[in-house]
Amino acid sequence: NPELTEFVSLLEQAGQLERLSGDGPFTLLAPVNEAFEKLPEGTVEKWLDSSGTSALKGILQRHVIPDRIPGAVVDIDDRIDLTGVKLLRKDILCSNGVIHVIDSVMGAESE
């Protein structure tokens, strides 16, 4: 999806794509490219720096849930803090889970 290229790129750079290609099931809360543009300047670059790799992995882990959670319940699931996050699209079904597209990078404000 062209609107998720930044997120996919970060997953790849953090070595997470292979894991997400596994059996799952997974629920992926995928921020659109514009979500990364809203972050303070230099944030993504800091995550990509070798000293920020653990921060990047931590941010990405907040967007992956090891379970298949349909959009109807993702808003109320106690494992997900969606405070200030808008679900743009729900229930994009994949062979090993489901993707929900969101408008924000969760947890980035605490980095």
Side-chain angles (χ1 to χ4, degrees):
N1 185 322
E3 69 181 355
L4 302 176
T5 56
E6 183 71 24
F7 184 59
V8 172
S9 174
L10 291 173
L11 286 169
E12 182 175 38
Q13 292 180 57
Q16 299 297 306
L17 280 184
E18 185 176 329
R19 178 175 78 97
L20 294 174
S21 297
D23 292 336
F26 300 106
T27 296
L28 190 62
L29 299 166
V32 292
N33 294 336
E34 292 79 18
F36 293 95
E37 293 169 9
K38 294 189 294 187
L39 297 173
E41 189 174 330
T43 300
V44 173
E45 291 78 11
K46 183 176 95 175
W47 292 340
L48 295 174
D49 181 283
S50 61
S51 62
T53 304
S54 63
L56 173 61
K57 286 182 179 178
I59 291 294
L60 294 175
Q61 286 175 356
R62 295 173 192 217
H63 294 81
V64 179
I65 301 145
D67 196 0
R68 185 185 306 252
I69 303 172
V73 296
V74 75
D75 296 302
I76 58 172
D77 193 290
D78 62 0
R79 294 173 289 177
I80 309 166
D81 180 7
L82 291 178
T83 304
V85 176
K86 182 177 180 186
L87 289 166
L88 302 175
R89 263 192 315 286
K90 298 179 184 183
D91 297 325
I92 301 169
L93 299 179
C94 303
S95 61
N96 65 351
V98 62
I99 298 171
H100 306 300
V101 179
I102 59 176
D103 73 337
S104 303
V105 180
M106 298 187 315
E109 66 283 347
S110 64
E111 295 300 317

